[in-house]
Short mmCIF file of all heavy atoms in Angstrom, two decimals:
data_model
loop_
_atom_site.label_atom_id
_atom_site.label_comp_id
_atom_site.label_asym_id
_atom_site.label_seq_id
_atom_site.Cartn_x
_atom_site.Cartn_y
_atom_site.Cartn_z
N ARG A 14 5.20 15.71 7.52
CA ARG A 14 5.97 14.84 8.41
C ARG A 14 5.08 14.24 9.50
O ARG A 14 5.21 13.06 9.84
CB ARG A 14 7.09 15.69 9.03
CG ARG A 14 8.25 14.85 9.43
CD ARG A 14 9.39 15.68 9.90
NE ARG A 14 10.20 14.87 10.81
CZ ARG A 14 11.23 15.35 11.49
NH1 ARG A 14 11.56 16.62 11.36
NH2 ARG A 14 11.91 14.57 12.29
N TRP A 53 -6.21 20.97 1.57
CA TRP A 53 -7.03 21.74 0.62
C TRP A 53 -6.25 22.96 0.12
O TRP A 53 -6.02 23.16 -1.05
CB TRP A 53 -8.33 22.19 1.31
CG TRP A 53 -9.29 22.94 0.43
CD1 TRP A 53 -9.02 24.04 -0.34
CD2 TRP A 53 -10.67 22.64 0.21
NE1 TRP A 53 -10.14 24.43 -1.01
CE2 TRP A 53 -11.18 23.60 -0.68
CE3 TRP A 53 -11.53 21.64 0.71
CZ2 TRP A 53 -12.51 23.60 -1.09
CZ3 TRP A 53 -12.85 21.65 0.29
CH2 TRP A 53 -13.33 22.62 -0.60
N ASN A 54 -5.86 23.78 1.09
CA ASN A 54 -5.32 25.11 0.79
C ASN A 54 -3.83 25.03 0.45
O ASN A 54 -3.00 24.92 1.35
CB ASN A 54 -5.55 26.01 2.01
CG ASN A 54 -5.36 27.46 1.70
OD1 ASN A 54 -4.99 27.82 0.58
ND2 ASN A 54 -5.61 28.30 2.68
N GLU A 84 -9.69 23.75 6.31
CA GLU A 84 -10.90 24.34 5.72
C GLU A 84 -12.12 23.65 6.32
O GLU A 84 -12.27 22.45 6.21
CB GLU A 84 -10.90 24.14 4.20
CG GLU A 84 -9.67 24.67 3.50
CD GLU A 84 -9.56 26.18 3.58
OE1 GLU A 84 -10.61 26.84 3.61
OE2 GLU A 84 -8.43 26.69 3.61
N ALA A 85 -12.99 24.47 6.95
CA ALA A 85 -14.12 23.84 7.64
C ALA A 85 -15.45 24.51 7.31
O ALA A 85 -16.39 24.45 8.09
CB ALA A 85 -13.87 23.84 9.15
N ARG A 87 -19.00 24.87 5.71
CA ARG A 87 -20.03 23.92 5.30
C ARG A 87 -20.00 23.69 3.76
O ARG A 87 -19.98 22.55 3.29
CB ARG A 87 -21.37 24.50 5.73
CG ARG A 87 -22.56 23.59 5.61
CD ARG A 87 -23.78 24.32 6.16
NE ARG A 87 -23.59 24.69 7.57
CZ ARG A 87 -23.85 23.86 8.58
NH1 ARG A 87 -24.31 22.66 8.33
NH2 ARG A 87 -23.65 24.24 9.82
N VAL A 98 -14.92 12.93 -2.45
CA VAL A 98 -13.92 12.65 -1.42
C VAL A 98 -14.37 11.42 -0.63
O VAL A 98 -15.57 11.16 -0.51
CB VAL A 98 -13.74 13.90 -0.52
CG1 VAL A 98 -14.80 13.98 0.56
CG2 VAL A 98 -12.35 13.92 0.11
N TYR A 101 -12.97 13.13 5.34
CA TYR A 101 -12.63 14.54 5.54
C TYR A 101 -12.23 14.73 6.99
O TYR A 101 -13.03 14.51 7.90
CB TYR A 101 -13.87 15.39 5.21
CG TYR A 101 -13.57 16.84 4.87
CD1 TYR A 101 -13.58 17.28 3.56
CD2 TYR A 101 -13.31 17.77 5.88
CE1 TYR A 101 -13.34 18.61 3.23
CE2 TYR A 101 -13.05 19.10 5.57
CZ TYR A 101 -13.07 19.51 4.24
OH TYR A 101 -12.84 20.83 3.92
N VAL A 103 -10.64 17.46 9.75
CA VAL A 103 -10.28 18.87 9.93
C VAL A 103 -9.11 19.02 10.90
O VAL A 103 -9.03 18.36 11.92
CB VAL A 103 -11.47 19.73 10.41
CG1 VAL A 103 -12.39 20.07 9.26
CG2 VAL A 103 -12.21 19.10 11.55
N LYS A 114 -10.79 7.47 10.27
CA LYS A 114 -11.23 7.79 8.91
C LYS A 114 -10.61 6.85 7.90
O LYS A 114 -11.26 6.39 6.98
CB LYS A 114 -10.87 9.23 8.54
CG LYS A 114 -11.46 10.29 9.44
CD LYS A 114 -12.96 10.18 9.57
CE LYS A 114 -13.37 10.89 10.84
NZ LYS A 114 -14.62 10.45 11.40
N ASN B 107 10.05 20.87 13.44
CA ASN B 107 10.97 19.84 12.96
C ASN B 107 11.89 19.34 14.05
O ASN B 107 12.14 18.15 14.17
CB ASN B 107 11.79 20.37 11.78
CG ASN B 107 11.03 20.26 10.48
OD1 ASN B 107 10.49 19.19 10.17
ND2 ASN B 107 10.94 21.35 9.74
N ASP B 111 12.17 15.64 15.33
CA ASP B 111 13.46 14.95 15.37
C ASP B 111 13.62 14.24 16.70
O ASP B 111 14.04 13.08 16.77
CB ASP B 111 14.62 15.95 15.22
CG ASP B 111 14.77 16.45 13.78
OD1 ASP B 111 14.17 15.82 12.88
OD2 ASP B 111 15.45 17.48 13.58
N ASP B 114 11.37 11.33 16.88
CA ASP B 114 11.90 10.25 16.05
C ASP B 114 13.06 9.53 16.72
O ASP B 114 13.20 8.32 16.59
CB ASP B 114 12.40 10.82 14.70
CG ASP B 114 11.25 11.07 13.75
OD1 ASP B 114 10.11 10.66 14.09
OD2 ASP B 114 11.47 11.68 12.69
N HIS B 234 -9.60 28.98 2.53
CA HIS B 234 -9.65 30.15 3.42
C HIS B 234 -8.59 30.09 4.51
O HIS B 234 -8.39 31.06 5.23
CB HIS B 234 -11.02 30.25 4.10
CG HIS B 234 -12.16 30.29 3.12
ND1 HIS B 234 -12.68 31.46 2.64
CD2 HIS B 234 -12.84 29.29 2.52
CE1 HIS B 234 -13.65 31.18 1.78
NE2 HIS B 234 -13.76 29.87 1.69
N GLY B 235 -7.97 28.95 4.69
CA GLY B 235 -7.06 28.78 5.81
C GLY B 235 -7.85 28.47 7.06
O GLY B 235 -9.08 28.41 7.03
N GLU B 245 -21.32 29.46 9.11
CA GLU B 245 -20.90 28.74 7.91
C GLU B 245 -19.75 27.78 8.18
O GLU B 245 -19.43 26.94 7.35
CB GLU B 245 -20.49 29.75 6.82
CG GLU B 245 -21.65 30.24 5.98
CD GLU B 245 -22.45 29.10 5.37
OE1 GLU B 245 -21.88 28.36 4.57
OE2 GLU B 245 -23.64 28.94 5.72
N LEU B 247 -17.83 24.90 10.45
CA LEU B 247 -18.09 23.83 11.40
C LEU B 247 -17.01 23.83 12.47
O LEU B 247 -15.85 24.11 12.20
CB LEU B 247 -18.13 22.49 10.68
CG LEU B 247 -19.14 22.44 9.52
CD1 LEU B 247 -19.17 21.07 8.90
CD2 LEU B 247 -20.52 22.82 10.00
N GLN B 250 -14.56 18.03 14.35
CA GLN B 250 -14.62 16.85 13.49
C GLN B 250 -15.99 16.20 13.58
O GLN B 250 -16.52 15.71 12.59
CB GLN B 250 -13.52 15.86 13.93
CG GLN B 250 -13.40 14.63 13.06
CD GLN B 250 -12.93 14.94 11.64
OE1 GLN B 250 -12.01 15.71 11.45
NE2 GLN B 250 -13.59 14.36 10.65
N ASP B 254 -18.35 15.23 10.56
CA ASP B 254 -18.86 13.87 10.35
C ASP B 254 -20.38 13.87 10.22
O ASP B 254 -20.93 13.16 9.38
CB ASP B 254 -18.44 12.98 11.53
CG ASP B 254 -16.93 12.74 11.52
OD1 ASP B 254 -16.29 13.06 10.50
OD2 ASP B 254 -16.40 12.25 12.54
N PHE B 262 -22.71 9.85 3.61
CA PHE B 262 -21.39 9.23 3.80
C PHE B 262 -21.40 8.27 4.97
O PHE B 262 -21.99 8.56 5.98
CB PHE B 262 -20.33 10.31 4.05
CG PHE B 262 -19.64 10.74 2.79
CD1 PHE B 262 -20.32 11.51 1.86
CD2 PHE B 262 -18.35 10.36 2.52
CE1 PHE B 262 -19.69 11.89 0.70
CE2 PHE B 262 -17.72 10.74 1.36
CZ PHE B 262 -18.39 11.52 0.43
#
Side-chain angles (χ1 to χ4, degrees):
Chain A
R14 206 174 154 186
W53 182 308
N54 195 356
E84 305 294 329
R87 190 177 300 274
V98 82
Y101 201 103
V103 281
K114 301 306 159 204
Chain B
N107 277 311
D111 285 345
D114 281 352
H234 304 268
E245 274 306 297
L247 304 183
Q250 184 66 45
D254 291 348
F262 266 73

